[in-house]
Structures are given as C-alpha cells and as structure tokens.
Amino acid sequence: MSGSKIPYVKHNNGTQIQSIGLGTYTSLGGDCEKATLHAIDVGYRHIDTAYFYENEGEVGAAVNQKIKEGVIKREDIHITTKLWSHFHEPERVEYACRKTLQNFGLDYVDLYLMHWPYSYVYRGDNEMMPTDAKGEVEMSDVDYLDTWRAMEKLVELGLTKSIGVSNFNSEQLTRLLANCKIKPIHNQIECHPALNQKNLIALCKKNDIVVTAYCPLGRPNPAEKTPNYIYDAKVQAIGDKYKKSTAQVVLRYLIEIGTIPLPKSSNPKRIEENFKVFDFKLDAEDHAILDSYNTGERLIRMVHAIKNKNYPFSIEF
C-alpha cells in the first residue's frame, strides 16, 4: 500500500499526520538512517524520534537524502521529536530546540513534544540522566506549565509547526489545557493491548488531542514468547482470519481504539509489514479478545522519578 492511500488524522490546529508512524527508539549506529530511508520508500510520511534517542542526525540525514533525490518534499513528511527533561528550565527550551534542528539539518520540525512532565537538573547537554554521589537521578521541580510557555514561543519563532506532550496523565493534561495559549495537538503514551489506555484516549478525544502509541507491540521477545497478545493462539487465529500477522492485528486494534501507533523496527520486512494495516477491519469479537489482555501493566515505569511531584503514573490514568 502506497503512502498516498494511508489515512491521515487532522489536528486541532489544522495540520494533519499519517495515521501510522515509524518509531526509532534504540535504533542507532546507522540502523536508524537505513530504517528511515526504507520507510520513506515504502510510503511512511511520519517519523518519530527524540533528543534522548540520540539519532536525530540519522533521521535528518535520511530525510534530507530523500528530499535531494526528489522522492519527497520537506512538507510531505511529518517529523516529531521531543524536549528531554534536563532542558525544562524555560531559558533552555529554545536552545534545546535549535540544537535539535542542528542535529536534523532542518529549519523546523513538525511537532515538538515535552517528553515527560517531570524535570532533571541540568549538568550539560549530554548528561541526560544526571546522577548524584549516591548514583540517584537528580530531579528538579520545574513546573511543566513554565516549560510549556517556553515551547509556545517556539511556534511563534517558526522552529516547530506544532507542540504537544508525552506521558501526561489526565490531571496534568487537564491542568495544561486550563493554562495554555496553544493547545497540545498530541499526547504520546505507552499503549498496547496490556495497557489499552481507553480512559486517557477518551479524555484526549474529548479535548481534540491526538494520541500516539509508543511500544505498540509490547517489545516482543520470541525466546520468551512475550507479550502474550503477540504469541497467543487466539490472536494468531484472528491473524489467520485476515491473512495478517499478530503484530498487524495489534496495530490495527490500536488504530481502531483511537491511536496512531509508532512501531519501531530496523528490519525492512517488518517496516513494510507494519505499514500494511489499512486493508482490513477487526470485528466486535476480535476487539473483545484483544481487550481481554488489558492488565494495566506498564513496560516503561521510570521508577527513579516516582517521588517527584510531576511523576505521571501515580494515578489510574
């Protein structure tokens, strides 16, 4: 399926985005550049990365190569990246964004997210997890509203088309919406059948905020046959019914419950497979089976931040 046939989702500010994206976390050493090049050739027009991933340069190199080749124009592709937690002080935000643009070799990004609602002490650009003498991560107490106000200025400066958040819970999102000039267009959250996030998705939908889903396949481990929703016979039977893999079934489920999944892969065949999820639909019985895996169990818990006032996972959603 070509990129032109993939549905797009409209944002609250009028911009739009392809309803699946390429995730790039842990993709390094040239793998990310190769994956991005292949993804663009396949038809992906939505790439997700972050300063913390340390691969913005690889994504930028691939995008610039494909622009040079005439495969895409800059305006054809949506690039999301994220402000890391050691740059939350308002006076550091513009600097961080400009540094990111330098990494990409681009004039602007399409979407700049606040990666987490909590913040770290700044010890240098590359000290992304600053630790004290005891080896504990040094947290700070910057209010994410102050960080957000600095991010709003980035839109005015033309450094990013849009801004959004990641890992914000319902209370944090509600507080942000009550105190912002520019509404977030996205909340990027961990979402998969074991953590289907339906309550948070409903809140985001009510406020015209798009949900993007990271870890959509739950980091499959073939040796251990985990997570169960990738390896269970019941999900395999759903896949057989539609001539699809269990991964494609799960991605389709996440699209149908109202998210944009961001499957990460550097395997060319998997990159192609993950894109082919728009030519079938799940029925109510399929949804009931996939809903049954929802235990609320998180893969990404960030326990080092649990005592911080802005830690997002201390409430139900």
Side-chain angles (χ1 to χ4, degrees), residues 114-314:
M114 194 185 314
H115 208 145
W116 292 93
Y118 55 74
S119 57
Y120 300 145
V121 169
Y122 178 81
R123 297 276 183 233
D125 292 359
N126 299 319
E127 290 284 326
M128 288 188 276
M129 299 287 279
T131 52
D132 60 20
K134 295 178 188 172
E136 292 177 4
V137 178
E138 293 183 289
M139 308 297 298
S140 68
D141 58 0
V142 179
D143 189 332
Y144 54 80
L145 292 183
D146 294 332
T147 308
W148 185 258
R149 289 182 190 112
M151 289 175 67
E152 289 176 328
K153 290 175 186 168
L154 303 178
V155 179
E156 293 163 18
L157 291 167
L159 303 179
T160 182
K161 299 281 186 190
S162 308
I163 49 176
V165 294
S166 180
N167 299 298
F168 270 50
N169 65 31
S170 59
E171 291 175 2
Q172 291 163 337
L173 208 52
T174 301
R175 180 172 177 252
L176 178 60
L177 287 166
N179 291 280
C180 63
K181 257 196 321 184
I182 299 176
K183 265 176 81 168
I185 67 164
H186 276 211
N187 188 16
Q188 185 175 132
I189 56 177
E190 179 182 341
C191 186
H192 41 72
L195 183 70
N196 68 29
Q197 300 271 26
K198 288 191 177 182
N199 289 330
L200 192 50
I201 292 167
L203 176 73
C204 288
K205 189 174 182 183
K206 183 182 169 188
N207 288 285
D208 206 11
I209 295 168
V210 170
V211 172
T212 38
Y214 71 77
C215 292
L217 303 176
R219 296 188 173 170
N221 184 327
E224 295 182 9
K225 302 281 187 201
T226 57
N228 52 1
Y229 50 81
I230 292 291
Y231 296 99
D232 270 9
K234 285 186 287 186
V235 185
Q236 285 172 352
I238 296 172
D240 291 344
K241 183 164 67 170
Y242 301 109
K243 294 185 171 56
K244 295 290 180 180
S245 69
T246 54
Q248 288 172 312
V249 168
V250 168
L251 293 173
R252 183 69 213 169
Y253 168 75
L254 294 174
I255 290 165
E256 291 184 8
I257 65 170
T259 80
I260 296 178
L262 301 169
K264 178 259 162 184
S265 184
S266 49
N267 178 310
K269 285 186 179 174
R270 292 267 164 74
I271 289 170
E272 291 167 32
E273 181 186 289
N274 292 340
F275 203 59
K276 294 174 181 173
V277 290
F278 297 96
D279 55 354
F280 74 109
K281 287 185 179 177
L282 302 174
D283 60 31
E285 191 181 337
D286 302 330
H287 272 269
I289 289 168
L290 288 156
D291 284 345
S292 73
Y293 293 98
N294 185 44
T295 60
E297 190 176 341
R298 292 183 183 278
L299 294 169
I300 311 301
R301 295 179 57 225
M302 304 301 270
V303 290
H304 67 267
I306 208 160
K307 292 177 185 173
N308 188 271
K309 66 179 183 180
N310 293 322
Y311 181 72
F313 306 143
S314 299

